[in-house]
Amino acid sequence: MNAGSHAAPKDPIAAWLAKTFPHQHVLRAEIAADLSRCPVLLIDPPNKSLFGHVVELAIGLSLCDQSPYLRLLHCLDHDLANRLLAIAGYRPTNDLAASYDGWRRTDSALHPAHIFTAASRLAHVHSLLNDLGRHRSDAGDVARLVLKQHPRLLNSRPHETYRTRRGFRTVWSSYSSGFHSALRSFGPATAQLPLLDGRRHADLLLGTTVLEVKSGRLDDDRYLDELIGQIMTYALLAHHDGHRVTHVAVYAARYQRLLRYRIDELADRLAGTPVDLTASGTHLATRIRDRPYRRSVA
């Protein structure tokens, strides 16, 4: 075991990653040192998990040219889904407005209040699908029925909405100051990229860069270990699925920092030896397939 590394992880996928890439602690220390020098945004949302979904979904809505998050939209009343897409800057390109994959971005301006409204509603759908998905395969159908009968589930309590919106405005002001342009420069955006038949989902694929969005704290080794495991998993599975991925990136919103790495160089460095990304992706895919499968939210 490397000096400074943690006890062997119990999760078999994390254990495989730790064995395949035994020098992750070096990257962890570098990221920690980098983030420690960054100006940290002072935000304290009431529901940190929901806030993270709001930020991720808002960024996806702002970057994608074609309407993203179709599974979430199909859980909503048709008119509400149309309104959310419209206020997020999308318009239908044909007469079949119900076919949300036919909507395209027509408004390049970033309207914080509009983006927040759309993203926060979709974040509540995301949370509901996650809860239902733990117990049943027809989570989307059930979510539609639940939300039709209880539309209030799409809203937080007023004081929670106020605090969430206040934190979002702080993050969005920072994001709009240069990060949005930087991310768009990576290439066309695909949100919630399904990997390995939906067993995993990357936050965003921007051209040939897999992006992970983090709005929470990264001041503990456990958080950084999880982050490194995520970006390596998504990059390897993307190679396995045939996506041309050259880089992995992390947008640490709270720290106002965008980190980006060449995946071939990073994999070799973490492994301490040259890595065949396609072969490694196949090994990882086999291990994930061997585990009990529960479809994640797209």
Side-chain angles (χ1 to χ4, degrees):
M1 183 179 297
N2 292 305
S5 62
H6 295 157
K10 295 180 180 180
D11 177 74
I13 306 305
W16 181 87
L17 288 168
K19 181 178 179 181
T20 305
F21 303 106
H23 301 291
Q24 292 183 47
H25 63 285
V26 177
L27 179 61
R28 182 210 310 150
E30 288 183 1
I31 295 176
D34 187 313
L35 296 183
S36 70
R37 297 188 291 268
C38 294
V40 181
L41 297 177
L42 300 178
I43 53 176
D44 184 26
N47 184 327
K48 293 177 175 56
S49 176
L50 180 69
F51 184 77
H53 292 320
V54 171
V55 172
E56 175 197 332
L57 294 168
I59 290 174
L61 288 168
S62 75
L63 291 173
C64 291
D65 293 322
Q66 182 175 334
S67 56
Y69 309 121
L70 300 185
R71 189 182 180 206
L72 303 182
L73 289 166
H74 283 301
C75 292
L76 298 173
D77 172 81
H78 173 59
D79 290 340
L80 174 58
N82 286 352
R83 290 199 302 273
L84 294 183
L85 280 175
I87 67 174
Y90 294 86
R91 295 292 183 273
T93 56
N94 52 50
D95 294 332
L96 301 177
S99 181
Y100 301 121
D101 56 355
W103 290 58
R104 296 292 186 275
R105 170 166 292 286
T106 59
D107 185 358
S108 60
L110 300 179
H111 304 282
H114 295 173
I115 293 288
F116 174 78
T117 298
S120 61
R121 299 294 190 278
L122 293 178
H124 283 289
V125 180
H126 187 286
S127 297
L128 177 60
L129 281 177
N130 270 346
D131 291 340
L132 294 171
R134 294 190 180 95
H135 307 291
R136 51 195 312 153
S137 59
D138 59 345
D141 294 333
V142 175
R144 275 191 292 274
L145 292 174
V146 170
L147 292 173
K148 184 176 181 179
Q149 296 176 5
H150 306 283
R152 65 181 182 279
L153 293 176
L154 292 172
N155 299 280
S156 301
R157 295 184 179 89
H159 74 281
E160 292 179 345
T161 299
Y162 172 76
R163 289 178 57 195
T164 302
R165 185 190 297 116
R166 183 174 61 186
F168 177 81
R169 285 174 176 167
T170 300
V171 169
W172 203 249
S173 177
S174 171
Y175 170 73
S176 302
S177 68
F179 293 105
H180 175 74
S181 297
L183 293 177
R184 282 195 65 86
S185 73
F186 293 165
T190 300
Q192 283 288 327
L193 177 72
L195 299 169
L196 200 62
D197 300 320
R199 287 173 171 83
R200 295 290 188 275
H201 285 84
D203 288 348
L204 287 154
L205 177 65
L206 306 175
T208 60
T209 297
V210 170
L211 175 72
E212 180 69 11
V213 177
K214 290 295 183 185
S215 62
R217 294 169 51 185
L218 292 171
D219 55 358
D220 187 286
D221 284 353
R222 293 171 298 172
Y223 303 150
L224 293 175
D225 287 340
E226 179 183 351
L227 172 62
I228 294 169
Q230 285 178 316
I231 61 176
M232 295 306 298
T233 295
Y234 299 149
L236 292 176
L237 293 182
H239 270 272
H240 175 268
D241 285 358
H243 296 287
R244 182 174 176 267
V245 172
T246 59
H247 292 76
V248 290
V250 178
Y251 173 46
R254 179 185 292 261
Y255 299 85
Q256 305 185 84
R257 191 75 170 99
L258 177 60
L259 306 170
R260 189 168 182 243
Y261 308 92
R262 280 192 59 91
I263 183 56
D264 52 355
E265 296 175 357
L266 181 62
D268 292 352
R269 185 178 173 214
L270 298 186
T273 187
V275 172
D276 184 324
L277 295 174
T278 301
S280 296
T282 299
H283 292 318
L284 177 58
T286 299
R287 283 160 175 78
I288 293 175
R289 285 196 180 101
D290 288 342
R291 302 185 68 192
Y293 173 43
R294 179 178 73 83
R295 183 174 295 278
S296 59
V297 174

